Amino acid sequence: DAKTTQPPSMDCAEGRAANLPCNHSTISGNEYVYWYRQIHSQGPQYIIHGLKNNETNEMASLIITEDRKSSTLILPHATLRDTAVYYCIVRGIQGAQKLVFGQGTRLTINP
Amino acid sequence: EAQVTQNPRYLITVTGKKLTVTCSQNMNHEYMSWYRQDPGLGLRQIYYSMNVEATDKGDVPEGYKVSRKEKRNFPLILESPSPNQTSLYFCASSLRVAGANVLTFGAGSRLTVL
């Protein structure tokens, strides 16, 4: 399975867009990119996922590069409640039952 | 409300005293799993279940048992807890969405073994 690389921490001002990068240079064609977040010690929360195309939902947008080797999660108007650890996970259909969470990016939204 | 419910949320116990952490989901999900989270080690999968009577080991199954007798429940059993099982535990269930596996997590169970 493809390994992901994320910056350990990022800061963003409240009301601005938060752009969280993720590198997954060894991703294979049938592997999805998932994003989850964990606020304090709460259960991780699903945000979005994609395969090849860019995706958008009520929480965020996911931009996947054409070569699929990296992606960016965009929170368009960050609020203080978006402060959390964000996990980028890459996993194929066959191994979808075993999502592996790395260290993630600790995003701090500043007032 | 669609959710995954874990109990107890907090527990302090002693070495060797058997305990069970219950997990129940009301979304009719086939897949369920257990994770533990420790500082510096992230979330690690303990066991998972693809359906009733179908369970399999995750990355750190030692010292744990699970059962899946009915679709909604997936209890985690510690037959003889030890201090190294002090951790924050999460249960999750999932739905396949266009081939991808989207997990819904419970609120967590913080276990301390003395």
Side-chain angles (χ1 to χ4, degrees), chain A residues 52-90:
Chain A
K52 296 179 182 178
N53 301 320
N54 297 338
E55 303 288 345
T56 295
N57 62 20
E58 65 278 4
M59 290 183 69
S61 295
L62 174 60
I63 307 298
I64 303 174
T65 58
E66 193 169 341
D67 63 8
R68 302 186 70 238
K69 292 185 177 182
S70 66
S71 61
T72 301
L73 178 75
I74 301 172
L75 308 177
H77 305 288
T79 71
L80 298 179
R81 288 173 295 182
D82 292 322
T83 292
V85 177
Y86 286 76
Y87 298 98
C88 170
I89 303 164
V90 172

Side-chain angles (χ1 to χ4, degrees), chain A residues 32 34 36 38 96-97 99, chain B residues 31 35 37 45 98 101 103:
Chain A
Y32 286 82
Y34 299 85
Y36 286 79
Q38 186 175 25
Q97 71 276 11
L99 295 186
Chain B
Y31 170 80
Y35 287 81
Q37 186 170 33
Q45 191 183 56
N101 211 24
L103 292 169

Side-chain angles (χ1 to χ4, degrees), chain B residues 19-39:
Chain B
L19 69 91
T20 299
V21 186
T22 63
C23 175
S24 180
Q25 51 95 3
N26 62 359
M27 296 167 281
N28 201 36
H29 287 172
E30 291 184 346
Y31 170 80
M32 298 184 75
S33 63
W34 276 102
Y35 287 81
R36 63 177 287 176
Q37 186 170 33
D38 303 287

Side-chain angles (χ1 to χ4, degrees), chain B residues 26-99:
Chain B
N26 62 359
M27 296 167 281
N28 201 36
H29 287 172
E30 291 184 346
Y31 170 80
M32 298 184 75
S33 63
W34 276 102
Y35 287 81
R36 63 177 287 176
Q37 186 170 33
D38 303 287
L41 296 177
L43 281 149
R44 294 179 292 168
Q45 191 183 56
I46 304 171
Y47 269 95
Y48 66 91
S49 169
M50 299 296 286
N51 212 327
V52 175
E53 303 292 359
T55 64
D56 210 343
K57 296 177 180 179
D59 296 315
V60 288
E62 296 77 22
Y64 304 95
K65 287 174 58 178
V66 293
S67 69
R68 189 89 182 273
K69 294 188 173 67
E70 46 189 346
K71 201 171 190 179
R72 64 182 292 123
N73 295 322
F74 190 46
L76 179 69
I77 303 158
L78 285 73
E79 293 273 2
S80 182
S82 62
N84 64 12
Q85 292 178 298
T86 292
S87 188
L88 179 58
Y89 292 87
F90 292 104
C91 180
S93 68
S94 73
L95 175 70
R96 280 285 176 96
V97 177

